[in-house]
Amino acid sequence: MKTKHKLQHMLTLEELTAESLTELLELAKAVKQSPSDYQTALAGKKVALLFEKASTRTRISFEVGVVELGGYPVVLSGADMQIGRGEPLSDTIKVMSRYVDALMIRTFAHETVETLATHGTIPIINGLTDLHHPCQVLADLLTIEEHFGSRQGKILTYIGDGNNMAHSLLLGGALSGMEVRICSPDAYAPNEKIVAQAIEIAKATGGTIELFTDPVAAVKGAEVIYSDVFASMGQESESIERLNAFAGYQVNLSLLREAADEVIFLHCLPAHRGEEVTADVIDGTHSVVFDQAENRLHAQKALMIELLGK
């Protein structure tokens, strides 16, 4: 009998196997279809939600998700805590582990979530770091599966900065057996180590990983086109430089015509219309960005049930 994969944290999508990812997405579908069946899944559980970066979708979806599962969210700002005055993270998480049952954090350095997982005794959920955005990609994969019926073999093209979104899409797409294409200027290519990790995962799932610099070539036949802002939080000072570097990487109707007829457009939001994507694409018939945003709630509820549920 095969032992079920036990999930302890969600720091990156490498925490999952292809099988456990499928199980998690199936649970997300069930939660979405029959939310009342899970309204006591986190009864008596307290989940701390710590924000060192501004948030809309992560904040609302996690807080609502905890409540809908019967738990109690404790929303915190890093600026209001002692870590904002220099308390070691190891001390903070040792204390928090005695107060709450799990911690979701949205922060900058990926080392922060690794330190929390090392020194704490509760599940740590990465709500976003500069290196990975796993919860977003769980919602993305759920959205793709809803629209196409499966993830295996689908061609996903990400166009933009080789950032946390690109990294998590590489890993999630590889686990899904997808053909993942990352298209960015050479100077903004994704982390080589993460690309290599994704390639190894893809070997076992039948997926493929390719890097492109030409958007037209990258979207040929693609069923999913994904975009993100060219300058993320903390990169505002680079905005002009990045806009120049990414000239020609805008997702517009002309580029969309090079993709598959049934192509869908995804964006993690917030979006800058007229920069990385035109309004007629993100607000057009191929866009499913608001289905995608809603699925943050359902995917994260499934994740919390997996980590904390009875």
Side-chain angles (χ1 to χ4, degrees), residues 201-278:
I201 293 170
K203 287 178 181 177
T205 63
T208 59
I209 305 296
E210 289 186 84
L211 301 184
F212 287 78
T213 56
D214 178 2
V216 174
V219 302
K220 290 287 186 184
E223 289 124 325
V224 183
I225 294 179
Y226 202 118
S227 184
D228 189 12
V229 295
F230 294 147
S232 299
M233 276 182 286
Q235 299 171 335
E236 289 82 2
S237 63
E238 304 173 24
S239 292
I240 295 175
E241 175 187 341
R242 283 173 168 269
L243 282 175
N244 291 331
F246 286 98
Y249 285 79
Q250 182 187 76
V251 179
N252 50 39
L253 285 178
S254 176
L255 192 64
L256 218 60
R257 293 188 190 102
E258 302 293 331
D261 291 341
E262 69 273 23
V263 65
I264 61 173
F265 175 76
L266 298 179
H267 194 300
C268 53
L269 302 179
H272 295 164
R273 288 166 173 79
E275 291 184 10
E276 76 274 6
V277 60
T278 55

Side-chain angles (χ1 to χ4, degrees), residues 186-201:
D186 286 329
Y188 296 91
N191 181 287
E192 292 181 358
K193 181 179 177 182
I194 295 171
V195 172
Q197 291 167 339
I199 290 172
E200 284 304 307
I201 293 170

Side-chain angles (χ1 to χ4, degrees), residues 64-129:
V64 169
V66 174
V67 172
E68 289 186 348
L69 294 173
Y72 186 87
V74 183
V75 182
L76 305 165
S77 167
D80 297 334
M81 297 175 64
Q82 293 294 348
I83 56 174
R85 300 176 62 242
E87 180 179 48
L89 278 172
S90 55
D91 288 358
T92 298
I93 193 58
K94 286 174 183 176
V95 171
M96 292 184 73
S97 294
R98 300 185 180 215
Y99 294 155
V100 300
D101 299 289
L103 168 64
M104 187 288 301
I105 181 169
R106 182 176 169 94
T107 187
F108 293 88
H110 190 73
E111 291 77 8
T112 295
V113 295
E114 293 176 334
T115 298
L116 293 168
T118 297
H119 295 281
T121 57
I122 57 175
I124 305 299
I125 299 172
N126 175 5
L128 176 141
T129 65

Side-chain angles (χ1 to χ4, degrees), residues 155 157-159 181-183 212 214-220 222:
I155 302 173
T157 298
Y158 170 88
I159 300 175
R181 303 171 181 173
I182 304 296
C183 182
F212 287 78
D214 178 2
V216 174
V219 302
K220 290 287 186 184

